[in-house]
Amino acid sequence: MPGKLSAYHAKRNFHITPEPRCEVVAPAERLRFVVQKHHARKLHYDFRLELDGTLKSWAVPKGPSLDPSEKRLAVHVEDHPLGYIDFEGDIPEHQYGAGHVDVWDIGYWEPQGDPLAAYKAGKLKFRLDGEKLQGGWTLVRTRLPGGSKEQWLLIKEKDETARSAKDYDITEAEPDSVLSGKGKRRKTDDAALAVRAKTETPAGNRKSRLPDTLAPQLATLVEEIPREGEWLYEIKFDGYRLLARVDGEDVKLFTRDGKDWTAKLPVQAEAIRALGLESAWLDGEIVFLDKQGVPSFQLLQKAIHDNRSDELAYFLFDVPYLNGYDLRGIALRERRVLLEQIMTGVPPDVLRYSAPIAEPPQKLLDSACELSMEGIIGKRTDAVYEGKRTEYWIKLKCRRRQEFVVGGYTEPKGSRKFFGALLLGVYDGGSLHYAGKVGTGFDRDVLHATHRQLHALKQKTNPFDRTPPDVRKADIHWVKPQLVAEISFAEWTDDGRLRQAVFHGLRADKPASEIRREEAKSVAVNGKKPARPATRKTAGNEQVAGIRITHPERVIDPASGTTKLALVRFYEQIAPHLLPWLRNRPVYLLRCPDGVTGEHFFQKHINRTSIPGIRTLDPALDPGHEPLMAIDDASALVSAAQMGAIELHTANATADKIEKPDCMVFDLDPDPSLPWKKVVEGAQLVNVVLDELGLASFLKTSGGKGLHLVVPLARRHDWDEASSFSQAIAQHLARTLPKHFSAKMGEKNRVGKIFVDYLRNKRQASTIAPYSVRARPGLPVSVPIFWEELDGIPGAAAWTIASLPSRLDSLAGNPWQDFAETRQVLSKTIRKKLGLD
């Protein structure tokens, strides 16, 4: 789901506008809709339908009409968050959409058929059940010119709720808000908030003076979702635990170990003060949400370091004390009611209510993992608040993750600066046990900042109970064991070391002396441990497409938590789309035995380690080397993935005519700082040039940062002809559009530009295959797309192995349907236009 609200967030300054900054959320049982009357530069009506976690939105200049003969223009605009559904208020001047907004109508909608498929196809039929609008309606996409925005039509169906426009205009007859009435505003001022906050506390509380300190309740790591008891579930935020103490106007913010962070977080302290509470302890988490709305621990640390507290969100999830009453002895469900009342009407910006998510916990956990989040938190609704770790609060993680003590670091190697890896440990019985090292997850700024802290703590003695066996002594620098690092990892090895560790940041809120090895437990319910679920299939017991999968549970991508088995099953599922391209075509494998973050090697030829099912091609195709390989069926495809192959690269020719390429590839490789919009424009410009030459091109994402334009060829030309022609195209683009393109390799030659890589068209070169996975965090896929789709995709890594299957299920047609039948010749006329003849 990341990216759905990026356009919405990018257009708004939430420190100024009162509009909600909510994120993508799971759908409720019934789909909602809203029509908002928007007095912007011109009066219009915003028609919004809840779909796929957001509000799909259209601006309807004249508003809805009950007359089926009147087709009202509806301009498709950016998705809005579900929290926008009851937004009313004034958007300030100089802000996007400035003007007054009323909720003109609100209710539920019911689609006919699959709404996602219908939406993507451009014809959405549905029924409305609102305060003003009812009955059947249709939204249909048109081919009308409308700049960058899609033009749709909103049409009333002929049914019992239709009315002639001559007799009745619903926008004139019923102009007022259905929530507040004409000219009225909902109460959102400080006084109203204070009244709501001073609500009656439930039975079971006890009157008490405001405690000076409060120990937070902590969650226990568990193996499985509990099957007994009533639980609520929330996303596990990747941030800092923060408790707020309120005593009238005096507000203090404390970390979980009691450090006063009020001065670090002045904006959050002021937001708590504005609630108007007499006295309180509030419990929550401070986080930084990235552009996709996902918490980022490293960005959180940078924001705190740079005193940018206005960019942080404080999510509140409990209220252990309120207005003279100690609430720790009452049930969580009752404390949550009070907290929700406190937060009602508070703009969801700096301060937010961490609402429980009404979603089956396994589905919620799967969604969290798909979004590369840490996991979920479960809480017993009848539990009291205890200032310690209990099994009434639990955490389920996407992959293992905990804190470790830093006891040393190693020398950097190659181009790495500052240090190579951190040496990690956990305390047990007073001794610091060595637990392994971590060398990934750092960018240059983090390396530099961490190295400064390490250097200040250097010492001559080894703080561990033994010398790390996997590091050369000459490379080690010892440090005082005071720094605490947040680390995710795949598993513990038998000798007590971490496998596939990834650094997420240093923590300043937890003392090193408290760091222990975390072990998942079963959840106790009413004093009894629940029965363990059926044993998961162990290594060697899984078979996919007839191939035995070893170590299926191994995590190959720490960023998403994806296992080897998930990758293998993806390749089995994608085989019908991928195999037509692969058959009889030399394939080269990028093998990653230890996953995305481990060592990689490129295999072009059969070697001593045979891969079952992969066909050996004629040795004459590549004289002087071992034979090339080909993949002809799903079994061979799965077999390659089983042997650690993540990426599949292919030649531009098939084995039966290896000297005659059947396509040319133009790889658009942008400067990393170039906005995606410029990459899209670049692809469209290249396509214009090819079209002027009379050459059709087919488009696919690279799964990395760029795009590939593939030009089918009749198998008449040799490699030199294809290579020289593609080079001429690249040089023509660089010569005529020098601000956009470069035809020279090297980072210095593509600053602010796109390098048109024509070198893919040489005899020994290769390109990532369509529908191949990329060995990058998140496991993106190189995906063929329609040219018409290009404006609407967010980037070259738009689809991953988790999201691509749903695209293929809903896609109408094959973007490369005509590729095999399109055979083009580099004629003398075309070559002359490029100055080649």
Side-chain angles (χ1 to χ4, degrees), residues 2 214 502 618:
L214 188 136
V502 178
D618 186 343

Side-chain angles (χ1 to χ4, degrees), residues 10 103 175 267 289 326 329 351 359 457 489 556 694 701 739 781:
V103 174
V267 176
L289 300 174
D326 189 337
L351 209 59
E359 188 76 43
L457 296 172
F489 57 100
I556 62 168
T701 64
K739 292 183 178 181
V781 183

